[in-house]
Amino acid sequence: MASIIYPTPLRAGGRVEVLAPSTGVPGHLRERLDAAVSSLTSLGLDVHVRSHAVTPGLVPAPAAERANDLHEAFRSAGAVLPPWGGELAIELLDAIDWDALASARSWFVGWSDISTLLLPLTTMTGLATMHGANLMDEPYELPTEFERWTDVAALAPGSAFHQRSAPRRRSRPWGTWSDEPLDRDRAYDTPTRWRVLHESTEAEMHGRLIGGCLETVSLLAGTPYGDVPGFARRHAPEGTIVYLEAAESNSITVLRMLTSLRLAGWFDDANGVLIGRTEGAPVPELDQDEAVRRALGDLNVPVILDFDTGHQPPQMPLINGALADVTVNEAGGSITQRLIP
């Protein structure tokens, strides 16, 4: 049985490399990027924005160049933080030296399409990665119930941190940057709560966290990059907690993807499943809850819906590889993550 490896804690003065393994930032959002960088530099971090991060387009460069940029960033960074997700991080998989990334012991932080890289780095090498922040999320004030990713990245191996469920989420459409409300009282406008799939108000689960964006990580199942069953055998004798969130897929597509992951053995060692909020549409005779129920409802483990991860902010930091305890009851939800090898 192999141990989980945790990155070197990120200290004041530590270098944060900003790069775009998927999609860069267009010019009209440069003000938002600058605000995000200022937010990190105010914490005493040394933020380095690489050229691909501000190169617009579907991708900022060919896959080989983006992979090389990733390798260079890991060699010099305390944390690697893409500006946001994108579409085609999958093009990098065969071009990455995963062991070289793991040996750098840098934090890799991101979500959405960045899940395509976070998950295999953890499953293939045992290096913990962090899901739940991108650089462009920095200007937004997090709920008081959450930890900031920088605080989590500063923790030493063996540490633990506790978070509670958010009372509100964002439901309004995205507007122009100059009109965006950034404080937590206005950024999150709609009540939200974690829900248990099986007509219950209570659930508990314990295991190693692993997961990401459903649309991207589901494409990895059955490949060396998405060997979650192998990760469970090598690194999670306690069992796993699989977390997933759909960016925009309708309920039929969600049902298909979840079923595919089930056939690939992703839930064989799971002690529970966390499903994030989604903006994906229902279809006649099949809403999003029913899609999850049909795919996972007979697993005989707790399944929690509307978890605080995904494309309806806020997103709490989740550490791939961390040992977690999740609880839901009438008072709300909570998760404790332990950075235990």
Side-chain angles (χ1 to χ4, degrees):
M1 189 65 62
S3 297
I4 295 294
I5 305 163
Y6 292 95
T8 303
L10 181 65
R11 303 302 188 198
R15 189 177 182 93
V16 178
E17 289 278 356
V18 178
L19 77 168
S22 186
T23 299
V25 176
H28 73 277
L29 287 176
R30 186 60 189 259
E31 183 183 357
R32 178 177 173 182
L33 184 143
D34 290 342
V37 170
S38 295
S39 177
L40 291 180
T41 56
S42 70
L43 300 177
L45 296 170
D46 176 21
V47 183
H48 178 218
V49 180
R50 303 177 76 88
S51 61
H52 288 161
V54 290
T55 302
L58 178 62
V59 293
E65 289 185 27
R66 285 179 280 147
N68 184 63
D69 211 26
L70 190 65
H71 291 131
E72 290 183 358
F74 264 79
R75 284 194 289 269
S76 60
V80 175
L81 181 71
W84 49 19
E87 305 292 343
L88 293 173
I90 196 169
E91 292 184 319
L92 274 61
L93 294 176
D94 281 345
I96 292 174
D97 183 340
W98 298 96
D99 290 332
L101 297 192
S103 67
R105 300 285 292 272
S106 301
W107 276 107
F108 195 7
V109 186
W111 63 285
S112 194
D113 194 34
I114 305 306
S115 300
T116 318
L117 306 178
L118 299 178
L119 184 136
L121 183 53
T122 299
T123 59
M124 295 177 72
T125 72
L127 181 71
T129 56
M130 192 186 312
H131 183 279
N134 285 319
L135 176 67
M136 298 292 264
D137 300 313
E138 280 300 315
Y140 292 88
E141 191 175 26
L142 286 174
T144 57
E145 293 81 4
F146 288 15
E147 293 289 333
R148 186 171 181 161
W149 79 264
T150 50
D151 294 329
V152 176
L155 295 175
S159 301
F161 64 103
H162 181 78
Q163 299 175 103
R164 292 177 288 118
S165 54
R168 296 190 305 279
R169 63 175 173 84
R170 181 190 179 105
S171 65
R172 67 172 63 88
W174 299 97
T176 59
W177 167 242
S178 59
D179 296 329
E180 273 293 300
L182 302 179
D183 60 288
R184 66 174 67 95
D185 290 335
R186 294 184 301 152
Y188 315 117
D189 58 300
T190 301
T192 188
R193 63 184 178 87
W194 301 355
R195 298 182 291 117
V196 182
L197 180 64
H198 296 294
E199 303 304 325
S200 173
T201 59
E202 297 186 356
E204 294 183 355
M205 59 183 74
H206 172 83
R208 297 274 174 184
L209 287 167
I210 194 70
C213 178
L214 183 59
E215 283 93 338
T216 69
V217 298
S218 63
L219 300 174
L220 308 181
T223 76
Y225 307 109
D227 186 12
V228 168
F231 168 79
R233 290 191 301 271
R234 293 187 297 273
H235 297 286
E238 312 89 347
T240 60
I241 295 175
V242 179
Y243 68 91
L244 298 161
E245 56 88 14
E248 58 190 4
S249 295
N250 68 28
S251 50
I252 286 178
T253 304
V254 165
L255 174 53
R256 288 170 172 165
M257 290 187 291
L258 290 175
T259 302
S260 174
L261 294 182
R262 184 168 182 173
L263 293 171
W266 276 40
F267 307 107
D268 289 355
D269 299 284
N271 297 329
V273 181
L274 308 174
I275 301 294
R277 293 182 294 266
T278 182
E279 297 180 350
V283 300
E285 301 181 41
L286 187 74
D287 63 18
Q288 291 283 354
D289 284 7
E290 182 62 19
V292 177
R293 184 175 292 108
R294 286 178 63 163
L296 308 179
D298 61 346
L299 283 178
N300 295 318
V301 300
V303 178
I304 295 173
L305 306 174
D306 289 345
F307 192 78
D308 291 316
T309 187
H311 285 70
Q312 280 193 334
Q315 306 97 351
M316 60 169 51
L318 298 173
I319 305 300
N320 286 316
L323 192 60
D325 290 284
V326 181
T327 300
V328 178
N329 54 40
E330 292 183 355
S334 66
I335 177 171
T336 300
Q337 300 175 63
R338 296 178 174 83
L339 309 188
I340 297 174

